[in-house]
Amino acid sequence: MTDVVNDTTLKTRFSRTERRKRVRALLLVLPLFLFICVTFLAPVAEMLFRSTDNTAVHNALTNTHKALSSWDENSGELPPQAAYLAIIADVKAGAKKKMFTRVGRRLNYQISGVSSMFRKTARQARRLPDDIADPQTALIKIHKKWGDVNIWRGIKYFTTPYTSSYYLDATDFGYVLENGDYARKVESQRVYLNLFWRTIIMSVAITLLTLLMAYPTAFLISSISSQSANLLLIMVLLPFWTSLLVRTTSWIVLLYQEGVINDLLVSLGLVSDDGRLELIHNTTGTIVAMTHILLPFMLLPLYSVMKTINPAYMRAARSMGAGAFTAFRRVYFPQTVPGIGAGAILVFILAIGYYITPELVGGVEGTFISNRIAYHVRSSGNWGLASALGFILLILVLLMYWCYDKIVGIDNMKLG
């Protein structure tokens, strides 16, 4: 009986100890979990919300939206008088709250010229009585676009609480006011799909170039003595001691048409003074500068993996008759694949979202989608489109990550 009691007590104590360990482990990771929630999950959720949010326009024109709900926008006729009365009431209310500048700017993203129409209407509609007999004629006198069916069709479409218009813009599609249908934009207005494609192509090119340069360097560092390896590693890490802005600016000095590299080529007679190469403010400038900046992120994972490979494997392969290349290909290289995977995915993810270097050295041809996102956040004020572009970029990165996991396997990724 005593043994049974002791056994039960021991199990209870063991259970309590395990529970305390789990609580302690939870408390240890809790700050990191909260930090990730605040700095990553919350901004992503906010970005997703803003990419579809249209409540500001809907709330400002809620009476108009209700009045237009029964109007057939494909009938070819103007909306009923009730819709004109509703827009007058909404404009008067919005003018008092001074919110129509933002609403007009939001609608102007989709309907060209609407911003000025709303501003003019807001200034003059306050003189109109609330029970005006013919609001349609009165509004058309203020601005002739109130007599355009396409404008009303656009107002009806773009005053819903949530909208897909930002995603349509981000994929170079749009709502056609003339027929109320969706269509791909004309060639001169297509921007974002080409920019996404260019961002992916250049990020892949930068990843491959860093791999080509980092692999032999990491192989050399892992093969020499510790003293020499430390010296080379310091040289690799030396750029990290300098500001990113300084490093990027130094590439401007080097690659400019009157810069160091062109001066050297001219002095060697390889190019004429009139035929100096355009190495900056284009794709070449972005790839060269970003390859240099991201090179350590490829080299360090490769070196940490190569350092763990036992040299005896290569000696054993050579002793069994394999040539140097065959031993490298069949024995050494497969063991470095985890380092290649880790470096490649690290460099690619960093490259695809890089901003400052493409902005300074990329010009028109070498900018990334991140530069366009920054433009909409800082200059155009179109946060909805910036959020949609950012969310699509996030989906692309997750898609690449999924492809990597399927092809290479995330378990094969090692940092050392």
Side-chain angles (χ1 to χ4, degrees), residues 46-340:
E46 175 69 13
M47 182 172 66
L48 179 60
F49 173 72
R50 281 185 178 275
S51 66
T52 58
D53 178 43
N54 197 38
T55 51
V57 176
H58 177 75
N59 293 338
L61 298 175
T62 183
N63 294 320
T64 309
H65 183 71
K66 288 179 182 176
L68 290 174
S69 60
S70 58
W71 173 59
D72 181 7
E73 65 271 22
N74 296 319
S75 64
E77 299 178 355
L78 286 171
Q81 293 283 7
Y84 283 89
L85 276 176
I87 193 75
I88 290 173
D90 285 337
V91 167
K92 284 182 176 179
K96 289 179 182 176
K97 298 176 183 176
K98 298 180 179 179
M99 57 189 297
F100 258 91
T101 301
R102 190 175 59 162
V103 172
R105 188 176 60 198
R106 162 67 185 97
L107 287 174
N108 204 62
Y109 295 146
Q110 311 295 338
I111 313 172
S112 180
V114 163
S115 180
S116 61
M117 183 180 79
F118 268 87
R119 286 199 303 271
K120 186 176 181 181
T121 306
R123 286 195 300 271
Q124 300 188 24
R126 66 185 69 175
R127 304 192 195 102
L128 300 176
D130 293 337
D131 56 348
I132 184 171
D134 189 1
Q136 184 184 94
T137 305
L139 273 184
I140 293 175
K141 280 184 179 178
I142 292 175
H143 203 292
K144 63 180 181 181
K145 283 191 175 181
W146 288 116
D148 187 346
V149 176
N150 294 333
I151 294 293
W152 282 101
R153 186 182 288 123
I155 290 175
K156 181 179 181 181
Y157 179 77
F158 292 112
T159 51
T160 53
Y162 298 98
T163 178
S164 60
S165 61
Y166 295 123
Y167 285 98
L168 289 173
D169 282 342
T171 50
D172 291 337
F173 278 81
Y175 181 75
V176 183
L177 296 177
E178 286 73 17
N179 57 17
D181 204 354
Y182 303 100
R184 196 176 183 192
K185 294 182 179 178
V186 296
E187 184 72 28
S188 59
Q189 296 178 357
R190 295 174 194 168
V191 178
Y192 300 109
L193 284 184
N194 289 336
L195 206 47
F196 273 118
W197 186 240
R198 182 202 298 169
T199 301
I200 292 173
I201 293 293
M202 290 177 67
S203 299
V204 170
I206 291 165
T207 304
L208 292 177
L209 284 173
T210 54
L211 176 61
L212 286 175
M213 286 189 278
Y215 197 95
T217 309
F219 179 77
L220 174 66
I221 296 176
S222 63
S223 305
I224 58 180
S225 65
S226 299
Q227 188 176 2
S228 302
N230 289 335
L231 180 63
L232 288 176
L233 279 176
I234 290 173
M235 293 176 65
V236 169
L237 296 174
L238 199 60
F240 283 127
W241 299 355
T242 337
S243 162
L244 174 62
L245 186 61
V246 173
R247 278 180 280 164
T248 305
T249 308
S250 67
W251 276 109
I252 296 176
V253 176
L254 287 171
L255 298 176
Y256 209 66
Q257 274 198 310
E258 285 76 27
V260 177
I261 293 178
N262 265 308
D263 285 345
L264 181 63
L265 293 174
V266 170
S267 63
L268 293 175
L270 296 177
V271 298
S272 66
D273 194 34
D274 296 332
R276 287 172 175 261
L277 303 177
E278 293 185 5
L279 300 174
I280 201 167
H281 298 149
N282 52 26
T283 305
T284 305
T286 301
I287 289 180
V288 170
M290 286 187 62
T291 299
H292 163 252
I293 289 168
L294 296 178
L295 184 61
F297 294 99
M298 177 67 79
L299 192 144
L300 292 177
L302 277 173
Y303 167 71
S304 62
V305 170
M306 289 178 178
K307 192 68 179 173
T308 62
I309 298 175
N310 193 339
Y313 294 152
M314 286 288 284
R315 289 197 294 269
R318 296 295 302 274
S319 67
M320 296 178 70
F325 179 73
T326 303
F328 172 80
R329 183 172 61 85
R330 302 286 296 274
V331 176
Y332 190 84
F333 180 77
Q335 296 182 75
T336 62
V337 169
I340 294 174

Side-chain angles (χ1 to χ4, degrees), residues 7 15 30 93 121 153 183 199 224 259 272 311 317 343 345 362 385 399 403:
D7 188 48
S15 176
L30 186 60
T121 306
R153 186 182 288 123
T199 301
I224 58 180
S272 66
I345 200 165
L385 180 55
L399 192 61
C403 291

